[in-house]
Amino acid sequence: MKHETRAEALAAKLRRRMVQQHLQGRDITDQRVLDAMGRVPRHKFVASHLQDQAYEDCPLSIGHQQTISQPYIVALMTQLLRPESNSRALDIGTGSGYQAAVLAELTKEVYSVEIIAPLAESAQKRLQTLGYDNITVRCGDGYHGWPEQAPFDLIVVAAAAPDGVPESLIKQLTLGGRMLIPVGTSNQELLFIEKQCDGHVKEATIAPVRFVPMTRKASNH
Ligand code: SAH
């Protein structure tokens, strides 16, 4: 086994504290989600000058005017999705790749789409270096999902859709599939969508949230 450096030991200690205080201390009760958040090294998903803030419960800049989401929100979204070890997941807005990594700990395969090319490239490299061989990253407009790999049991979206839930994403859910997506512009809401076994789509509002807006490729307008 690789010898744990002092920096890694400190990161592990801060990570355990984050899980206890900010996740268990609130309403994250799914032990698999708590364990996954306890394993993924969030400090490796941010720039070196932000590493000492990586286990605080806040979003952090990842450049290109984008952020890695707050740990509590990642945990809440992951818990609500009810991931299973044989699930196939679609992650829209790869960003740093952190949400994809948390999902990859809990599912069979994760497909992740990022619209900003340098972010997609660096996330892919990072996830590869960390050994996540069940994540595939693609650069593109996630508004359309990933039709070639559909359907998905779980879909998680990290950028707010201004005009409601894209029909293309609902189409790409399996029967019984679940999706979390922020919608709106200045006032956003996190929506939970479940495609029931009879094909009926059920929608519930989870909480007011603040995500970066979903951007679109000019060719799609
Ligand atoms: N899940 C990320 C959060 C990144 S913030 C993480 O864990 O770090 C949201 C990301 O969505 C940004 O990187 C942004 O570039 C991306 N994004 C915005 N609109 C998009 C679109 N239409 N398709 C794909 N990605 C998009």
Side-chain angles (χ1 to χ4, degrees):
M1 246 211 343
K2 218 170 82 181
H3 179 67
E4 216 183 25
T5 64
R6 275 175 68 179
E8 288 306 305
L10 176 63
K13 188 174 158 193
L14 294 174
R15 191 159 60 243
R16 276 194 296 276
R17 191 187 298 165
M18 172 194 87
V19 170
Q20 278 166 9
Q21 272 186 1
H22 303 301
L23 309 185
Q24 270 178 317
R26 293 178 74 179
D27 51 357
I28 308 303
T29 51
D30 185 330
Q31 193 57 47
R32 291 182 69 228
V33 174
L34 293 167
D35 290 346
M37 298 282 295
R39 283 194 298 270
V40 180
R42 191 170 186 263
H43 64 292
K44 301 247 168 88
F45 290 76
V46 298
S48 50
H49 70 283
L50 293 173
Q51 287 197 353
D52 58 352
Q53 296 172 53
Y55 296 106
E56 290 171 19
D57 193 29
C58 56
L60 294 170
S61 169
I62 53 170
H64 306 272
Q65 294 165 348
Q66 306 301 327
T67 54
I68 176 173
S69 305
Q70 173 193 357
Y72 171 72
I73 291 290
V74 174
L76 180 68
M77 289 174 72
T78 307
Q79 174 169 277
L80 287 166
L81 286 170
R82 306 195 305 272
E84 290 163 21
S85 53
N86 61 350
S87 303
R88 296 175 74 249
L90 175 65
D91 169 52
I92 310 279
T94 316
S96 66
Y98 180 69
Q99 172 75 77
V102 172
L103 274 176
E105 293 273 346
L106 298 166
T107 61
K108 186 164 156 233
E109 285 164 350
V110 179
Y111 293 86
S112 188
V113 186
E114 168 57 52
I115 202 162
I116 300 178
L119 285 178
E121 274 163 37
S122 55
Q124 184 172 19
K125 275 192 203 129
R126 172 179 298 122
L127 291 165
Q128 203 174 358
T129 306
L130 291 172
Y132 287 101
D133 54 10
N134 57 342
I135 304 176
T136 313
V137 180
R138 175 169 86 82
C139 181
D141 185 350
Y143 190 89
H144 304 290
W146 195 326
E148 299 81 1
Q149 295 294 346
F152 302 98
D153 305 299
L154 319 171
I155 300 181
V156 62
V157 185
D163 322 308
V165 186
E167 198 55 41
S168 45
L169 296 184
I170 294 180
K171 271 201 196 124
Q172 291 175 31
L173 275 178
T174 55
L175 292 180
R178 305 166 287 278
M179 163 161 60
L180 277 165
I181 178 166
V183 294
T185 47
S186 46
N187 292 315
Q188 299 173 9
E189 278 178 335
L190 184 62
L191 297 187
F192 179 76
I193 315 276
E194 187 158 8
K195 194 188 263 187
Q196 292 172 323
C197 291
D198 60 3
H200 183 79
V201 176
K202 214 173 71 178
E203 189 178 299
T205 303
I206 302 299
V209 283
R210 220 166 134 185
F211 280 82
V212 294
M214 188 180 265
T215 52
R216 306 292 311 281
K217 277 210 185 334
S219 59
N220 294 317
H221 286 297

